[in-house]
Amino acid sequence: MTLPTSDHAGDLRHQGFLAQTGLHRGIGWKGAFWIASGVPGLVLFTIGAVAATVGKPAWLVWLISISFGFIQAFTYAEIAGLFPHKSGGLSIHSAVAWIRYSKFIATLNVWCNWAAWSPVLAIGSGLAAGYSLSILFDANSLINTWQITLLDLSAIKAGLSLRINATFILGAIFLLLVFAVQHGGILRSVSTTKVFGLIALIPLLLIGLVPFVTGDLASEHFFPLTPLAYDMNGNVIQGDWNLEGWKLMAGGLFVAAWSTYGFETALCYTREFKDPKADTFKAIVYSGLLCIAVFTLVPIAFQSHLGLGELVVPAVIGEAGEVTTPAMYDGMLAANIYKGNGVASALASIVGGGAIIANIMVVMLIITLLLAIMTTMSGSARTLYQASVDGLLPKYLSVVNENGSPTRAMWTDLSYNLILLMMSDYVFVLAASNVAYIIYHFLALNAGWIHRMDRPRWDRPYKTPNVLLGAGVLLGYINLAIMGMGTEIWGEGTLRTGLFFSSLILPLFIYRHYFEDKGVFPTQLISDMQLQISRPKYTKFFEYLPYLTIMFAILVVWYTDQL
């Protein structure tokens, strides 16, 4: 790859503040913290699916997953500090590391981040609509049961379809309301999310703390620490830590990562920080500490309250001995817990106080979901915007309105998610999109050492200890192994669908780079790469390390998928 070079010094601070990206420097780390405070609400998206799939080790899944996410955050804080002038978050910052070696891998890095984050809009608004309908109407009422099927997608996954129903209509209204707030710019978003954040965090922290205060922690709901298994008739039995048991654990860690790793979104606002040198590290660390509290306490309280569940309706066995209708359970194994629409009621009942208090709690959890949607719309739209500014995505995305909001990117997000909102299986959408998220994190974690190798003299407001940098690289491969082992737990073809969707960036990038830009990157990105000045001379071995990293990653996914 031959590109023009730059004569600038390694320290980017001065060129950064002069960069005219169109976004406004109007917030501090506390503003980013409050916008990222929607991330703890992501526990509502996956807590039911993890519990219903893994069983009693579910609480341990969350503890391990948020620990992984917090360790990774230190590498991310160093990377973001290198680019105080760039919006769009970690995927943009790590793409600069990879672009020297492959423009396609760099673009894939950005796309995979957006592809994983963007579905939060559809899934969150769908859950919020489901919560709302559950407290207003009976589950068997007409408004909760009618639907119009637009397209059968069973070729992708059995039972999957595009449909219009009450959940879609109400969810679309929620999306438009969030869009209206975001249209007013980052300062309005911060003001709104601060109010939403306080309202949203109160029920989550209350739910997480009540069982510890009252001592209502049933040990039999947590132990023995064995994974779920099923007998020949489809009934739940105590499993073993064999290969199938570890696959369940990997599947739980895979889906939980979609929620627990999300606080890295605090880095999306580096270009809008008043003092990026000080604010960047504080934003992600304090956001991470908040997430550790919520992602540890809430799953424990949830599991202690519900328990694994008891058999309600036995499985129906056909003449050939096959299970024609699965058994139905209550507790964590209930169908509405897996789908997510029963999670709010289950969490609200932990606090007690009767139907009125329970409904108030559900309303507050709906606000929590709206905050998660707002957090995601802010971050994912800025990722599209900055990727367009850097020449990775089509030019029309690099436009902001008079308030400094990337509205064209936001409209693209909104349109895409209205389609996802029509999907009949949100858990499958989440799992497939998480394939892209794991790829993105792998590339970002390895970008840490690549930046040090290629940009050793650049100013680093925060430099992570070497042991944490190395731990991040190791976790990148562990995440890939978890993905290879655990994706098919969520439906046959999940990994294949996720990889296919991740590859869709290739035609978009080819159009932008070779047709719109005639094979030349924008001046600002070329300046960022510092191709000749800041890079020391290395042996051939170091030159090939990034390529060997990718080759080993492909091998890890292939091997673990074959287990």
Side-chain angles (χ1 to χ4, degrees), residues 505-527:
I505 183 57
L506 297 179
L508 290 175
F509 173 67
I510 290 172
Y511 169 75
R512 169 63 194 269
H513 187 62
Y514 293 103
F515 288 88
E516 287 192 328
D517 292 342
K518 311 304 180 185
V520 178
F521 282 113
T523 303
Q524 182 62 50
L525 183 63
I526 294 171
S527 178

Side-chain angles (χ1 to χ4, degrees), residues 1 11 19 35 95-96 146 175 265 351 353 360 374 423 529 558 560:
M1 179 173 64
D11 188 348
I35 295 177
V96 178
W146 76 272
L175 276 181
T265 190
V351 179
I360 292 174
M374 190 171 297
M423 290 282 188
M529 286 187 289
W558 174 84
T560 52

